[in-house]
């Protein structure tokens, strides 16, 4: 049986983009279906989306802090600790900044609506965080990546509990995915250049 990384390596950029967006649409569809059954009124859901200073002070700050910690760990730990089979490199290396921003936006909205806006709202922090970690199964191949995604999941869930504002976690998630996507693009292009220079 092929590993996910090997399968993704065989996809064209167009095919990979289709699969990425299809996954996010699927998550939003699941969130909508669950929301119909779990929320008494639609206003109960929309109350979670509020413009407030927390979006910048808590959401952006937490996102930047996570990115700085992650980049620091990538620099000091052996490369094998962050080895996801080349999936992230394949996703981000050949994308423009705008493409990464759009992808980060769709991922942050769909995942936060489902995991915080629906699941955590109704079933609590622990259940939603565990399910969030479980669907990121490509990180299960390495103990460090598993711990990393579980801690991140609980931290985003805690921020949601603390602020009671879904926009805060959407912004936080966007900042993390967008900046780390740019960082991975830079690293992927650098490795490609180094590979070419050795040929």
């Amino acid at each position: 049986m092929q590993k996910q990384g090997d399968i993704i390596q065989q996809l064209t950029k167009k095919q990979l983009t289709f699969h990425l967006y299809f996954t996010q649409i699927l998550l939003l569809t699941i969130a909508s279906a669950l929301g119909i059954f779990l929320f008494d009124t639609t206003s109960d859901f929309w109350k979670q989306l509020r413009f407030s200073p927390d979006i910048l002070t808590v959401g952006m700050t937490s996102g930047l802090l996570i990115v700085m910690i992650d980049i620091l760990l990538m620099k000091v730990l052996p490369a094998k600790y962050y080895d996801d089979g080349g999936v992230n490199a394949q996703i981000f290396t050949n994308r423009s900044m705008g493409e990464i921003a759009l992808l980060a936006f769709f991922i942050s909205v769909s995942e936060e609506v489902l995991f915080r806006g629906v699941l955590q709202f109704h079933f609590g922090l622990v259940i939603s965080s565990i399910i969030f970690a479980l669907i990121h199964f490509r990180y299960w191949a390495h103990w460090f990546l598993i711990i990393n995604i579980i801690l991140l999941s609980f931290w985003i869930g805690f921020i949601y509990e603390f602020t009671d504002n879904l926009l805060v976690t959407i912004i936080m998630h966007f900042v993390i995915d967008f900046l780390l996507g740019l960082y991975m693009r830079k690293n992927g292009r650098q490795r490609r250049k180094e590979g070419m220079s050795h040929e």
Side-chain angles (χ1 to χ4, degrees), residues 21-35 45 105-114 118:
Y21 282 107
F22 177 78
T23 304
Q24 303 318 308
I25 291 166
L26 183 61
L27 292 181
L28 277 174
T29 304
I30 292 168
S32 300
L34 286 173
F45 171 78
F105 171 76
F106 273 96
I107 291 170
S108 59
V109 169
S110 62
E111 291 190 0
E112 291 310 307
V113 165
L114 176 59
V118 176

Side-chain angles (χ1 to χ4, degrees), residues 45 48-49 55 59-60 104-114 116-117 156 159-160 165-177:
F45 171 78
Q48 299 178 83
L49 298 159
I55 293 170
M60 276 200 154
F105 171 76
F106 273 96
I107 291 170
S108 59
V109 169
S110 62
E111 291 190 0
E112 291 310 307
V113 165
L114 176 59
R116 256 55 69 173
I156 296 174
I159 294 295
Y160 172 75
N165 190 342
L166 196 55
L167 282 180
V168 173
T169 60
I170 288 172
I171 291 298
M172 178 184 172
H173 199 145
F174 172 81
V175 168
I176 294 167
D177 285 2

Side-chain angles (χ1 to χ4, degrees), residues 124-159:
L125 171 63
V126 174
I127 289 174
S128 64
S129 296
I130 289 170
I131 296 171
F132 179 86
L134 287 174
I135 70 141
H136 290 82
F137 56 86
R138 66 192 167 96
Y139 297 123
W140 297 358
H142 198 289
W143 66 267
F144 178 78
L145 293 176
I146 295 168
I147 291 171
N148 200 322
I149 198 68
I150 289 171
L151 289 176
L152 176 63
S153 178
F154 274 93
W155 180 246
I156 296 174
F158 170 75
I159 294 295

Side-chain angles (χ1 to χ4, degrees), residues 2 5 25 42 49 70 72 92 100 117 142 148 158 164 168 181:
Q2 283 185 302
I25 291 166
T42 54
L49 298 159
D70 231 5
L72 177 66
F92 295 110
I100 293 172
H142 198 289
N148 200 322
F158 170 75
D164 195 30
V168 173

Side-chain angles (χ1 to χ4, degrees), residues 46-94:
W46 292 109
K47 282 177 192 169
Q48 299 178 83
L49 298 159
R50 296 184 314 281
F51 286 98
S52 74
D54 286 344
I55 293 170
L56 295 177
T57 57
V58 180
M60 276 200 154
T61 306
S62 295
L64 288 169
L65 184 64
I66 294 291
V67 170
M68 287 190 289
I69 291 169
D70 231 5
I71 290 174
L72 177 66
L73 290 175
M74 283 182 209
K75 289 184 181 293
V76 299
L77 293 174
K80 66 179 182 180
Y81 278 47
Y82 276 92
D83 182 15
D84 68 344
V87 175
N88 281 329
Q90 183 72 4
I91 291 171
F92 295 110
T93 300
N94 294 318

